[in-house]
Amino acid sequence: MKAVRYAKTVTVVFLALALLAALFGLTACGNAPASAVKIGVLAPLSGPFASGGKSMEQGLEMARDEINARGGISGHPVALLVEDTQGRPDVARNAALKLTGQEHVAALVGAYLSEETNAVLQVAVQSKTLLIVPISADDALTQNVAKDYDQYRYLFRVSYDIDQWAALMGDFIAGGLKDRNYAFVGTNIDWNHALAAALAGYLAPKGVACVYQQYYPLAQPAYDPVLLALQRVKPQVVVLADPGGGSVGLVKAARAQGLVIPLFSVGGALGTQAVAKSLGYGGPLYFQAAAWRGAAPADAFFTSYAQKYKSPPVGYSDVLGHDALTVLAQAMNQAGSTAPDAVIPVLEKGAFGGVAGTYRFDASHQARWGTGEGLAGVVVRWVNGQGVAARWR
Amino acid sequence: MTAQLLADGLLTGLIYGLTALGLALVFGVMRIFNLAHGAFYALGGLLTYTLVTRAGLDVWAALPVVMAAAFALGLAVEHTLVGPVRGHAIAVTVLTLGLGVGAEQVMQALWGAAALSLPPAAPVLAWAGATLDAARLAAGACALALAGLTALGLRTRLGTVVRFTAQDPEGAQLVGINTDRVQMLVFGAAAALAGAAGNLTATWQALSPAMGRLPLVVSLAVVVVGGPGNIPATMGAGVFLGVAAVLSGYYLAPGWSYLTPLAAIVVSLLVRPSGWGGAPARRD
């Protein structure tokens, strides 16, 4: 009797949870009109990277609406088929298989983590589907194209890779802040080790030395020991390589320890205005963004985004998600086709406008970011809860 | 520097202890590991966020509201889901693990996936070479007070019933104690304590549905080290692990702050499986 009662209870609870999930839109693919150009989106919408995945999805939705308002792709509306990758390569791969094998999408946009995108890339290559990468920064992704063009030509990356990221941040440290030393602190993940090495390699010839480098575990961000070491070393600026919520905890702990050293975040959670307003940190706080208010396309995007989603964008995953689809749609329209073999030459030779600037791709299909390129990125400083572009160039 | 390290470790440890207290109580009385414990902690943090930003309460005023809500939810979860399988340890473990995962999804649907943050609740104080957030100091004091109240509660008439149920549930039933109700109350109280820990830490960390994962791991370590059902030992183990995490993180490497609780679990299970705070409450 008790077991029957329990089975009934469990059934009711799971039905309620399923209903909740459906109500809050946790189910993935929606129905696309038959004539629509279907674009598969792979983003972590649950798990520890859900925040970035969600803003990437919202940026893509903004781009879809803009493209459809302008007539779509060759007269057909764009439909996004979104799959939650959970931040896991195996889930991302299965989702890509579903999108290419069952949904027959015209292209894939994603994923978020480099590990996920690596798994998706193999599916894109096998199915000969275009893969536009909006976020993942691992240099190896586009190096595949340089090494084996015939196989990997389907991949294009709009975001900055690790070397470019290091150059963008390094230029600001050496040129904008005119600092001669810095500390590098972040979560203990491969990506951060690669960024630290690239930044040190970029800044050393400019006479800027890394005086302290430390990583805290993602699972247990131990801020106090790191901050005490920073108090002892006293670097001129601290590069904070943690795009997640851990960076928020670190800045709060820094306040509690009375630190006022300039902090320079790679972006992510510290690019959120509501978060920035709550920190109460006494020192200058900067972060690297792909775009920020101050230029015409960015201003329009930031205003529309804030109106639609009731909070301003962070200037990274949302901007790059938007631009990934915008670039793809422009290339498909110029090619007059969605077929990869028609679109790839257009992407390779063309210039495409986006919120962050003008996208051009190099021989490895990497967007050209950096000083003197169409994509310069922006360093933003929080002043009284308002993000101000630090224009030093 | 040493004063700062010790102060950070002590305050961290008191919160570790408070977070683990509910888990220790549930294990001591019900002999089950509630792997959804971290979800109540996350709920405490997120509910505090809503009460502060939407209802205009300050963090401290939100504490009793959060505890009441977590208590009510704990009662409901125990009554509808855990209670019917309470006698099957593996079933409870799997069930509470699933509940924890499901609760994260529901919280994400309600609060979103983005990291949330509350402004500082108190100024920073400098004393004896150490700099401390007054809110963290108050949270440590609050954790001690809640642990003391729980210990005192176990000495009341109801507390005696709880202790009797923990020591000999069959005997308690024979003398007319409704052990189902006692265990439900203990589960609710544990949820309230976890919610309180989420509230007390809400101003110095990012708030998200996944914020309960780490406290669950640390709580397991505290319970294993301190021994189940022993409140002073739980708080003592929390402080020991907090200080050890901060010292090892500073003198060795920050990664050790996470390895320390895990190492403590292994060492305790090998050397003293019943915990260092004395023998656990006996069931027979």
Side-chain angles (χ1 to χ4, degrees):
Chain A
M1 195 63 183
K2 209 171 184 181
V4 171
R5 184 168 68 97
Y6 181 65
K8 280 183 183 170
T9 309
V10 170
T11 308
V12 168
V13 168
F14 278 102
L15 281 175
L17 284 175
L19 185 65
L20 261 178
L23 278 174
F24 287 102
L26 294 180
T27 45
C29 291
N31 290 327
S35 64
V37 176
K38 293 194 281 189
I39 306 294
V41 174
L42 300 149
L45 301 175
S46 59
F49 303 97
S51 176
K54 190 67 190 170
S55 68
M56 180 179 126
E57 184 194 18
Q58 290 174 346
L60 280 154
E61 288 173 354
M62 294 279 298
R64 176 202 57 199
D65 294 348
E66 290 167 14
I67 294 161
N68 288 341
R70 288 196 297 263
I73 294 174
S74 301
H76 299 285
V78 172
L80 299 178
L81 306 186
V82 183
E83 288 285 340
D84 179 9
T85 61
Q86 301 172 27
R88 290 169 47 189
D90 56 327
V91 177
R93 180 184 161 80
N94 287 341
L97 282 168
K98 177 184 168 189
L99 289 168
T100 54
Q102 291 178 22
E103 301 288 349
H104 305 292
V105 294
L108 293 168
V109 177
Y112 190 85
L113 303 178
S114 294
E115 294 86 342
E116 291 179 315
T117 307
N118 254 321
V120 170
L121 174 59
Q122 303 312 319
V123 177
V125 163
Q126 282 162 15
S127 60
K128 299 189 188 317
T129 306
L130 271 172
L131 172 61
I132 310 296
V133 181
I135 302 291
S136 313
D138 185 1
D139 293 343
L141 282 168
T142 42
Q143 283 167 2
N144 284 316
V145 184
K147 285 178 191 161
D148 189 347
Y149 175 84
D150 288 340
Q151 191 175 1
Y152 290 102
R153 65 183 188 277
Y154 302 95
L155 177 139
F156 288 81
R157 174 161 52 198
V158 298
S159 60
Y160 23 88
D161 66 17
I162 287 176
D163 287 338
Q164 291 171 331
W165 205 324
L168 292 173
M169 295 187 78
D171 281 347
F172 187 69
I173 291 169
L177 298 175
K178 301 193 187 308
D179 287 333
R180 304 329 299 168
N181 71 56
Y182 70 99
F184 188 98
V185 170
T187 46
N188 193 16
I189 52 176
D190 289 346
W191 181 87
N192 271 342
H193 289 268
L195 181 64
L199 191 60
Y202 187 80
L203 285 173
K206 298 177 188 294
V208 183
C210 181
V211 292
Y212 177 74
Q213 187 169 318
Q214 193 53 271
Y215 305 93
Y216 48 82
L218 187 61
Q220 158 74 314
Y223 311 123
D224 293 332
V226 172
L227 294 169
L228 286 168
L230 289 174
Q231 277 185 335
R232 182 168 44 81
V233 175
K234 292 187 173 45
Q236 288 181 302
V237 62
V238 178
V239 173
L240 180 47
D242 182 349
S247 58
V248 178
L250 188 136
V251 176
K252 290 187 170 201
R255 168 194 168 270
Q257 291 202 4
L259 241 68
V260 289
I261 301 171
L263 299 176
F264 186 9
S265 162
V266 293
L270 288 181
T272 311
Q273 187 179 37
V275 168
K277 280 182 176 174
S278 74
L279 295 172
Y281 183 63
L285 182 59
Y286 304 91
F287 70 97
Q288 178 68 51
W292 200 252
R293 284 184 181 278
D299 277 346
F301 174 79
F302 273 63
T303 303
S304 307
Y305 187 102
Q307 281 171 354
K308 183 166 184 178
Y309 297 110
K310 310 298 177 208
S311 71
V314 297
Y316 179 60
S317 41
D318 32 39
V319 164
L320 293 171
H322 173 277
D323 284 2
L325 185 58
T326 303
V327 166
L328 176 66
Q330 288 175 60
M332 285 178 165
N333 270 326
Q334 286 177 29
S337 166
T338 59
D341 286 337
V343 179
I344 288 171
V346 176
L347 281 168
E348 287 173 340
K349 291 171 190 158
F352 310 93
V355 169
T358 304
Y359 289 82
R360 291 183 184 83
F361 294 94
D362 66 15
S364 65
H365 291 183
Q366 168 63 47
R368 296 176 185 274
W369 287 85
T371 308
E373 302 288 355
L375 301 161
V378 185
V379 175
V380 181
R381 179 177 177 181
W382 288 114
V383 181
N384 299 324
Q386 298 298 320
V388 179
R391 299 193 179 283
W392 60 274
R393 287 192 179 96
Chain B
M1 189 64 78
T2 308
Q4 183 77 57
L5 285 168
L6 290 175
D8 289 340
L10 175 69
L11 294 178
T12 302
L14 286 172
I15 294 298
Y16 280 2
L18 176 65
T19 312
L21 207 53
L23 202 67
L25 273 178
V26 166
F27 188 74
V29 175
M30 301 169 71
R31 291 293 187 275
I32 58 170
F33 263 126
N34 172 21
L35 296 183
H37 192 67
F40 290 106
Y41 174 91
L43 177 71
L46 292 168
L47 201 52
T48 301
Y49 178 84
T50 299
L51 290 168
V52 171
T53 56
R54 298 287 167 86
L57 294 183
D58 71 27
V59 175
W60 313 112
L63 177 62
V65 183
V66 165
M67 288 185 73
F71 179 73
L73 191 63
L75 290 185
V77 167
E78 205 287 335
H79 181 66
T80 54
L81 297 170
V82 177
V85 289
R86 199 187 291 135
H88 308 280
I90 293 176
V92 172
T93 306
V94 173
L95 178 76
T96 54
L97 179 66
L99 272 174
V101 174
E104 261 189 40
Q105 292 296 322
V106 173
M107 285 188 278
Q108 185 171 316
L110 293 173
W111 277 280
L116 304 171
S117 172
L118 284 171
V124 175
L125 307 173
W127 180 69
T131 311
L132 291 172
D133 185 349
R136 215 169 156 186
L137 209 57
C142 222
L144 264 183
L146 284 170
L149 282 174
T150 310
L152 282 177
L154 287 177
R155 299 200 174 278
T156 61
R157 185 181 167 83
L158 177 62
T160 306
V161 169
V162 170
R163 284 186 288 128
F164 187 22
T165 304
Q167 288 165 3
D168 187 357
E170 290 83 10
Q173 277 182 329
L174 283 175
V175 297
I177 293 172
N178 185 339
T179 55
D180 283 354
R181 186 162 292 175
V182 169
Q183 297 191 30
M184 193 168 76
L185 279 173
V186 167
F187 199 92
L193 289 169
N199 163 277
L200 294 174
T201 56
T203 57
W204 71 71
Q205 63 176 331
L207 307 171
S208 74
M211 66 186 273
R213 292 180 188 179
L214 170 69
L216 175 64
V217 175
V218 173
S219 296
L220 286 171
V222 171
V223 172
V224 170
V225 172
N230 184 332
I231 292 168
T234 300
M235 294 306 287
V239 170
F240 168 74
L241 286 176
V243 173
V246 170
L247 290 179
S248 61
Y250 182 76
Y251 288 110
L252 299 174
W256 281 90
S257 60
Y258 185 58
L259 290 178
T260 303
L262 300 179
I265 291 177
V266 175
V267 171
S268 291
L269 287 177
L270 286 174
V271 179
R272 186 132 172 178
S274 60
W276 299 85
R282 290 179 57 185
R283 205 171 170 164
D284 50 12

